[in-house]
Amino acid sequence: MGLSSQTIYQGGSAIALIALVGVFAVTNPSKEAYLNYASEKFVREIKESACQQNVVDRIPTGVNNLLRDLGLENTGNRLQQLCQDSLTAGGDRFKPFLKDFVQQSTTQQNFQVFSLYHTEILDQKVTTLALLGNFITFS
């Protein structure tokens, strides 16, 4: 007597499910990977908030007029670029500090096939889902 098609289907489904769970477990990113991700994201957000286009609005009018009279147009764009370049250059030096800061501010829930990271920085709570080698951040 042979196996029924339903038995074969159920066996194949079970094997596929076990394989899928195995893939999820193997690709669940480590806490170290999360710390790298979060510290890099933190540097990017600092760049975006600290180096906004409205930099020229922060320059006193007299200084802005003087720069214009000297032929230094687009001062805001130059300042924005200088700000971003400075943070890019300094970002590598500050990464160990940021990584340590994120580590101290983070709790992990490891479910083997995925992880949830809860980070609280400056009164902001951020939850990140780690799944299949990727991170998805929710605020």
Side-chain angles (χ1 to χ4, degrees):
M1 207 168 177
L3 295 174
S4 72
S5 61
Q6 183 178 5
T7 303
I8 293 172
Y9 175 76
Q10 288 174 341
S13 295
I15 291 171
L17 182 60
I18 290 169
L20 184 62
V21 168
V23 167
F24 273 68
V26 169
T27 60
N28 183 9
S30 66
K31 187 166 187 178
E32 184 69 22
Y34 171 74
L35 295 174
N36 289 330
Y37 161 80
S39 59
E40 288 173 15
K41 183 173 174 45
F42 192 50
V43 169
R44 277 194 313 274
E45 288 180 6
I46 289 171
K47 274 190 208 181
E48 290 172 8
S49 64
C51 304
Q52 293 181 11
Q53 182 64 35
N54 64 0
V55 172
V56 81
D57 296 336
R58 298 180 205 156
I59 301 172
T61 304
V63 173
N64 203 7
N65 291 339
L66 175 65
L67 293 171
R68 188 183 62 241
D69 291 344
L70 293 172
L72 300 173
E73 306 298 330
N74 299 321
T75 305
N77 292 338
R78 290 181 185 146
L79 288 174
Q80 181 183 18
Q81 188 61 48
L82 178 63
C83 178
Q84 290 177 347
D85 291 346
S86 297
L87 286 173
T88 298
D92 289 338
R93 283 184 278 167
F94 293 116
K95 246 182 221 175
F97 167 76
L98 291 173
K99 194 172 172 180
D100 186 50
F101 182 71
V102 170
Q103 182 174 16
Q104 292 176 16
S105 306
T106 299
T107 58
Q108 176 189 17
Q109 291 178 285
N110 188 344
F111 298 98
Q112 302 308 318
V113 293
F114 69 92
S115 293
L116 288 174
Y117 293 95
H118 305 281
T119 303
E120 187 172 343
I121 296 177
L122 303 174
D123 295 331
Q124 275 193 327
K125 294 180 181 180
V126 177
T127 299
T128 301
L129 171 66
L131 177 71
L132 294 171
N134 295 297
F135 299 99
I136 302 167
T137 300
F138 307 94
S139 294

